[in-house]
Short mmCIF file of all heavy atoms in Angstrom, two decimals:
data_model
loop_
_atom_site.label_atom_id
_atom_site.label_comp_id
_atom_site.label_asym_id
_atom_site.label_seq_id
_atom_site.Cartn_x
_atom_site.Cartn_y
_atom_site.Cartn_z
N PRO A 974 -151.07 138.39 102.04
CA PRO A 974 -149.81 139.15 102.14
C PRO A 974 -149.36 139.32 103.58
O PRO A 974 -150.18 139.39 104.50
CB PRO A 974 -150.16 140.51 101.51
CG PRO A 974 -151.65 140.61 101.65
CD PRO A 974 -152.17 139.21 101.53
N ILE A 975 -148.06 139.37 103.76
CA ILE A 975 -147.50 139.43 105.10
C ILE A 975 -147.96 140.67 105.85
O ILE A 975 -148.11 140.68 107.07
CB ILE A 975 -145.97 139.39 105.03
CG1 ILE A 975 -145.52 138.03 104.47
CG2 ILE A 975 -145.32 139.61 106.39
CD1 ILE A 975 -144.05 137.92 104.20
N THR A 976 -148.22 141.75 105.13
CA THR A 976 -148.60 143.01 105.79
C THR A 976 -150.00 142.95 106.40
O THR A 976 -150.32 143.74 107.30
CB THR A 976 -148.54 144.16 104.77
OG1 THR A 976 -149.35 143.83 103.64
CG2 THR A 976 -147.11 144.40 104.32
N GLU A 977 -150.85 142.05 105.94
CA GLU A 977 -152.21 141.97 106.46
C GLU A 977 -152.26 140.89 107.55
O GLU A 977 -152.84 139.82 107.37
CB GLU A 977 -153.20 141.66 105.34
CG GLU A 977 -153.23 142.73 104.27
CD GLU A 977 -154.15 142.39 103.12
OE1 GLU A 977 -154.87 141.36 103.23
OE2 GLU A 977 -154.17 143.11 102.12
N LYS A 978 -151.64 141.16 108.66
CA LYS A 978 -151.47 140.16 109.70
C LYS A 978 -152.78 139.70 110.31
O LYS A 978 -152.93 138.55 110.69
CB LYS A 978 -150.55 140.70 110.81
CG LYS A 978 -149.13 140.96 110.33
CD LYS A 978 -148.26 141.43 111.47
CE LYS A 978 -146.83 141.66 110.99
NZ LYS A 978 -145.95 142.10 112.08
N ALA A 979 -153.74 140.58 110.40
CA ALA A 979 -155.00 140.23 111.07
C ALA A 979 -155.71 139.07 110.40
O ALA A 979 -156.39 138.28 111.07
CB ALA A 979 -155.91 141.45 111.12
N GLU A 980 -155.56 138.94 109.08
CA GLU A 980 -156.30 137.92 108.34
C GLU A 980 -155.74 136.52 108.51
O GLU A 980 -156.46 135.55 108.40
CB GLU A 980 -156.33 138.27 106.85
CG GLU A 980 -157.17 139.48 106.52
CD GLU A 980 -157.34 139.63 105.02
OE1 GLU A 980 -157.08 138.66 104.30
OE2 GLU A 980 -157.71 140.73 104.59
N TYR A 981 -154.45 136.42 108.73
CA TYR A 981 -153.88 135.08 108.71
C TYR A 981 -153.15 134.65 109.97
O TYR A 981 -152.65 133.54 110.04
CB TYR A 981 -152.93 134.93 107.51
CG TYR A 981 -151.71 135.82 107.56
CD1 TYR A 981 -150.63 135.48 108.37
CD2 TYR A 981 -151.65 136.97 106.82
CE1 TYR A 981 -149.52 136.29 108.42
CE2 TYR A 981 -150.54 137.78 106.85
CZ TYR A 981 -149.47 137.44 107.65
OH TYR A 981 -148.37 138.24 107.70
N GLU A 982 -153.03 135.49 110.95
CA GLU A 982 -152.33 135.12 112.19
C GLU A 982 -152.92 133.85 112.79
O GLU A 982 -152.20 132.92 113.14
CB GLU A 982 -152.40 136.26 113.22
CG GLU A 982 -151.46 137.41 112.94
CD GLU A 982 -150.07 137.10 113.44
OE1 GLU A 982 -149.90 136.10 114.17
OE2 GLU A 982 -149.13 137.83 113.09
N THR A 983 -154.22 133.83 112.91
CA THR A 983 -154.88 132.66 113.51
C THR A 983 -154.67 131.42 112.66
O THR A 983 -154.34 130.33 113.17
CB THR A 983 -156.39 132.92 113.68
OG1 THR A 983 -156.57 134.08 114.49
CG2 THR A 983 -157.06 131.73 114.34
N ALA A 984 -154.84 131.58 111.32
CA ALA A 984 -154.67 130.44 110.41
C ALA A 984 -153.23 129.93 110.43
O ALA A 984 -152.98 128.73 110.44
CB ALA A 984 -155.08 130.83 108.99
N LEU A 985 -152.28 130.86 110.46
CA LEU A 985 -150.87 130.48 110.49
C LEU A 985 -150.52 129.71 111.75
O LEU A 985 -149.89 128.65 111.70
CB LEU A 985 -150.00 131.73 110.37
CG LEU A 985 -148.48 131.53 110.47
CD1 LEU A 985 -148.00 130.58 109.40
CD2 LEU A 985 -147.76 132.87 110.37
N LEU A 986 -150.93 130.21 112.88
CA LEU A 986 -150.66 129.53 114.14
C LEU A 986 -151.32 128.16 114.19
O LEU A 986 -150.76 127.20 114.75
CB LEU A 986 -151.12 130.39 115.32
CG LEU A 986 -150.31 131.67 115.56
CD1 LEU A 986 -150.96 132.51 116.67
CD2 LEU A 986 -148.87 131.32 115.94
N LYS A 987 -152.50 128.08 113.59
CA LYS A 987 -153.21 126.79 113.56
C LYS A 987 -152.42 125.77 112.75
O LYS A 987 -152.31 124.60 113.14
CB LYS A 987 -154.60 126.97 113.00
CG LYS A 987 -155.43 125.71 113.01
CD LYS A 987 -156.84 125.97 112.49
CE LYS A 987 -157.67 124.69 112.50
NZ LYS A 987 -159.04 124.93 111.97
N LYS A 988 -151.86 126.21 111.62
CA LYS A 988 -151.06 125.31 110.80
C LYS A 988 -149.81 124.86 111.55
O LYS A 988 -149.46 123.66 111.54
CB LYS A 988 -150.66 126.00 109.49
CG LYS A 988 -151.82 126.41 108.60
CD LYS A 988 -152.54 125.22 108.02
CE LYS A 988 -153.63 125.67 107.05
NZ LYS A 988 -154.43 124.53 106.54
N LEU A 989 -149.14 125.79 112.20
CA LEU A 989 -147.89 125.48 112.90
C LEU A 989 -148.12 124.64 114.15
O LEU A 989 -147.30 123.79 114.50
CB LEU A 989 -147.17 126.78 113.28
CG LEU A 989 -146.56 127.55 112.11
CD1 LEU A 989 -146.10 128.92 112.59
CD2 LEU A 989 -145.39 126.78 111.52
N ASP A 990 -149.24 124.90 114.81
CA ASP A 990 -149.51 124.20 116.07
C ASP A 990 -149.71 122.70 115.87
O ASP A 990 -149.64 121.94 116.83
CB ASP A 990 -150.76 124.81 116.74
CG ASP A 990 -150.93 124.31 118.16
OD1 ASP A 990 -150.00 124.52 118.97
OD2 ASP A 990 -151.97 123.68 118.45
N PHE A 991 -149.93 122.31 114.65
CA PHE A 991 -150.06 120.88 114.37
C PHE A 991 -148.80 120.12 114.77
O PHE A 991 -148.85 118.96 115.17
CB PHE A 991 -150.36 120.66 112.88
CG PHE A 991 -150.52 119.22 112.49
CD1 PHE A 991 -151.71 118.55 112.73
CD2 PHE A 991 -149.47 118.52 111.89
CE1 PHE A 991 -151.85 117.22 112.38
CE2 PHE A 991 -149.61 117.19 111.56
CZ PHE A 991 -150.81 116.53 111.79
N PHE A 992 -147.64 120.81 114.66
CA PHE A 992 -146.37 120.17 115.01
C PHE A 992 -145.68 120.87 116.18
O PHE A 992 -145.16 120.22 117.09
CB PHE A 992 -145.44 120.16 113.80
CG PHE A 992 -144.12 119.48 114.06
CD1 PHE A 992 -144.00 118.10 114.02
CD2 PHE A 992 -142.99 120.22 114.38
CE1 PHE A 992 -142.80 117.48 114.28
CE2 PHE A 992 -141.77 119.61 114.64
CZ PHE A 992 -141.68 118.23 114.57
N PHE A 993 -145.65 122.20 116.16
CA PHE A 993 -144.93 122.95 117.18
C PHE A 993 -145.86 123.23 118.36
O PHE A 993 -146.54 124.26 118.42
CB PHE A 993 -144.40 124.25 116.58
CG PHE A 993 -143.46 124.05 115.44
CD1 PHE A 993 -143.91 124.12 114.13
CD2 PHE A 993 -142.12 123.75 115.67
CE1 PHE A 993 -143.05 123.93 113.07
CE2 PHE A 993 -141.25 123.55 114.62
CZ PHE A 993 -141.71 123.62 113.31
N ASN A 994 -145.89 122.30 119.31
CA ASN A 994 -146.77 122.44 120.48
C ASN A 994 -146.13 121.77 121.69
O ASN A 994 -145.14 121.05 121.56
CB ASN A 994 -148.15 121.84 120.19
CG ASN A 994 -148.05 120.38 119.74
OD1 ASN A 994 -147.71 119.51 120.53
ND2 ASN A 994 -148.34 120.14 118.46
N ALA A 995 -146.71 121.99 122.85
CA ALA A 995 -146.13 121.50 124.11
C ALA A 995 -146.13 119.99 124.21
O ALA A 995 -145.30 119.41 124.93
CB ALA A 995 -146.89 122.11 125.29
N SER A 996 -147.02 119.32 123.49
CA SER A 996 -147.09 117.85 123.58
C SER A 996 -146.18 117.15 122.58
O SER A 996 -146.03 115.93 122.64
CB SER A 996 -148.54 117.39 123.38
OG SER A 996 -149.00 117.75 122.09
N ASN A 997 -145.56 117.91 121.68
CA ASN A 997 -144.67 117.30 120.68
C ASN A 997 -143.46 116.67 121.36
O ASN A 997 -142.83 117.30 122.22
CB ASN A 997 -144.22 118.36 119.67
CG ASN A 997 -143.33 117.77 118.58
OD1 ASN A 997 -142.15 117.57 118.79
ND2 ASN A 997 -143.93 117.52 117.43
N GLN A 998 -143.13 115.43 120.99
CA GLN A 998 -142.06 114.69 121.66
C GLN A 998 -140.70 115.37 121.49
O GLN A 998 -139.86 115.34 122.40
CB GLN A 998 -141.99 113.26 121.11
CG GLN A 998 -141.73 113.17 119.61
CD GLN A 998 -141.55 111.75 119.14
OE1 GLN A 998 -141.05 110.90 119.87
NE2 GLN A 998 -141.98 111.47 117.90
N TYR A 999 -140.47 116.00 120.35
CA TYR A 999 -139.18 116.65 120.12
C TYR A 999 -139.07 117.92 120.95
O TYR A 999 -138.00 118.23 121.51
CB TYR A 999 -139.00 116.96 118.62
CG TYR A 999 -139.06 115.74 117.74
CD1 TYR A 999 -140.16 115.50 116.92
CD2 TYR A 999 -138.02 114.82 117.75
CE1 TYR A 999 -140.21 114.37 116.12
CE2 TYR A 999 -138.06 113.68 116.94
CZ TYR A 999 -139.17 113.46 116.13
OH TYR A 999 -139.23 112.34 115.34
N VAL A 1000 -140.17 118.69 121.02
CA VAL A 1000 -140.18 119.90 121.84
C VAL A 1000 -139.93 119.54 123.29
O VAL A 1000 -139.10 120.16 123.99
CB VAL A 1000 -141.51 120.65 121.69
CG1 VAL A 1000 -141.57 121.84 122.66
CG2 VAL A 1000 -141.70 121.12 120.24
N ARG A 1001 -140.62 118.53 123.77
CA ARG A 1001 -140.45 118.10 125.17
C ARG A 1001 -139.04 117.61 125.43
O ARG A 1001 -138.46 117.85 126.49
CB ARG A 1001 -141.47 117.01 125.52
CG ARG A 1001 -142.89 117.57 125.64
CD ARG A 1001 -143.88 116.55 126.20
NE ARG A 1001 -144.23 115.54 125.19
CZ ARG A 1001 -143.83 114.28 125.22
NH1 ARG A 1001 -143.05 113.86 126.21
NH2 ARG A 1001 -144.22 113.44 124.28
N SER A 1002 -138.45 116.89 124.46
CA SER A 1002 -137.10 116.36 124.62
C SER A 1002 -136.08 117.49 124.72
O SER A 1002 -135.17 117.45 125.57
CB SER A 1002 -136.75 115.46 123.44
OG SER A 1002 -135.43 114.98 123.54
N VAL A 1003 -136.22 118.53 123.88
CA VAL A 1003 -135.28 119.65 123.92
C VAL A 1003 -135.42 120.42 125.23
O VAL A 1003 -134.44 120.81 125.86
CB VAL A 1003 -135.51 120.58 122.70
CG1 VAL A 1003 -134.67 121.86 122.84
CG2 VAL A 1003 -135.15 119.86 121.40
N LEU A 1004 -136.67 120.64 125.66
CA LEU A 1004 -136.90 121.37 126.93
C LEU A 1004 -136.36 120.59 128.12
O LEU A 1004 -135.88 121.17 129.10
CB LEU A 1004 -138.40 121.63 127.11
CG LEU A 1004 -139.02 122.66 126.16
CD1 LEU A 1004 -140.54 122.69 126.33
CD2 LEU A 1004 -138.43 124.05 126.41
N LYS A 1005 -136.37 119.29 128.04
CA LYS A 1005 -135.93 118.47 129.16
C LYS A 1005 -134.41 118.29 129.18
O LYS A 1005 -133.78 118.33 130.24
CB LYS A 1005 -136.61 117.10 129.09
CG LYS A 1005 -136.25 116.18 130.25
CD LYS A 1005 -137.01 114.87 130.16
CE LYS A 1005 -136.66 113.94 131.32
NZ LYS A 1005 -137.41 112.66 131.24
N SER A 1006 -133.82 118.10 127.99
CA SER A 1006 -132.39 117.76 127.93
C SER A 1006 -131.50 118.90 127.47
O SER A 1006 -130.27 118.84 127.65
CB SER A 1006 -132.18 116.57 126.98
OG SER A 1006 -132.52 116.95 125.65
N SER A 1007 -132.09 119.94 126.86
CA SER A 1007 -131.31 121.05 126.28
C SER A 1007 -130.34 120.57 125.21
O SER A 1007 -129.27 121.16 125.00
CB SER A 1007 -130.55 121.81 127.38
OG SER A 1007 -131.45 122.42 128.28
N ILE A 1008 -130.70 119.49 124.53
CA ILE A 1008 -129.86 118.94 123.46
C ILE A 1008 -130.56 119.16 122.11
O ILE A 1008 -131.77 118.94 121.98
CB ILE A 1008 -129.63 117.43 123.67
CG1 ILE A 1008 -128.82 117.20 124.96
CG2 ILE A 1008 -128.89 116.82 122.47
CD1 ILE A 1008 -128.65 115.73 125.31
N THR A 1009 -129.78 119.60 121.12
CA THR A 1009 -130.33 119.87 119.78
C THR A 1009 -130.62 118.56 119.05
O THR A 1009 -129.83 117.61 119.10
CB THR A 1009 -129.35 120.71 118.95
OG1 THR A 1009 -129.12 121.94 119.64
CG2 THR A 1009 -129.91 121.00 117.57
N ILE A 1010 -131.75 118.52 118.38
CA ILE A 1010 -132.14 117.36 117.56
C ILE A 1010 -132.12 117.80 116.10
O ILE A 1010 -132.73 118.82 115.73
CB ILE A 1010 -133.55 116.86 117.94
CG1 ILE A 1010 -133.61 116.51 119.43
CG2 ILE A 1010 -133.92 115.65 117.09
CD1 ILE A 1010 -135.00 116.14 119.90
N TYR A 1011 -131.42 117.03 115.26
CA TYR A 1011 -131.24 117.40 113.85
C TYR A 1011 -132.10 116.54 112.92
O TYR A 1011 -132.42 115.39 113.20
CB TYR A 1011 -129.77 117.26 113.44
CG TYR A 1011 -128.85 118.19 114.21
CD1 TYR A 1011 -128.18 117.74 115.35
CD2 TYR A 1011 -128.64 119.50 113.79
CE1 TYR A 1011 -127.33 118.58 116.05
CE2 TYR A 1011 -127.79 120.35 114.48
CZ TYR A 1011 -127.13 119.89 115.61
OH TYR A 1011 -126.30 120.72 116.31
N HIS A 1012 -132.43 117.12 111.77
CA HIS A 1012 -133.04 116.42 110.64
C HIS A 1012 -134.35 115.70 111.02
O HIS A 1012 -134.55 114.52 110.70
CB HIS A 1012 -132.06 115.41 110.04
CG HIS A 1012 -130.74 116.01 109.67
ND1 HIS A 1012 -130.61 117.08 108.82
CD2 HIS A 1012 -129.48 115.69 110.08
CE1 HIS A 1012 -129.33 117.38 108.70
NE2 HIS A 1012 -128.62 116.57 109.47
N ILE A 1013 -135.21 116.42 111.70
CA ILE A 1013 -136.54 115.88 111.97
C ILE A 1013 -137.37 116.04 110.69
O ILE A 1013 -137.45 117.13 110.14
CB ILE A 1013 -137.22 116.63 113.14
CG1 ILE A 1013 -136.34 116.57 114.40
CG2 ILE A 1013 -138.60 116.06 113.41
CD1 ILE A 1013 -136.79 117.54 115.49
#
C-alpha cells in the first residue's frame, strides 16, 4: 500500500532506476538539448 512507504521505497526506486538514470540516452539527450522526446 502507498501509505507504507518504508517497505517499498527502495524496491520502487530499483524498478524505476532500470530506465530512469543518468546513463539513459534519452535522459542525457533532454539534459543536453532541452528538447522534449515523445513516444519512447
Side-chain angles (χ1 to χ4, degrees):
I975 295 173
T976 55
E977 298 177 7
K978 295 182 179 181
E980 291 189 16
Y981 64 79
E982 283 279 349
T983 302
L985 176 58
L986 291 174
K987 183 177 180 181
K988 298 292 184 184
L989 289 170
D990 191 59
F991 181 80
F992 182 81
F993 300 97
N994 55 70
S996 62
N997 182 280
Q998 59 175 328
Y999 301 109
V1000 174
R1001 288 189 285 109
S1002 178
V1003 172
L1004 290 173
K1005 182 177 180 179
S1006 65
S1007 296
I1008 296 175
T1009 301
I1010 303 174
Y1011 297 95
H1012 307 304
I1013 303 167

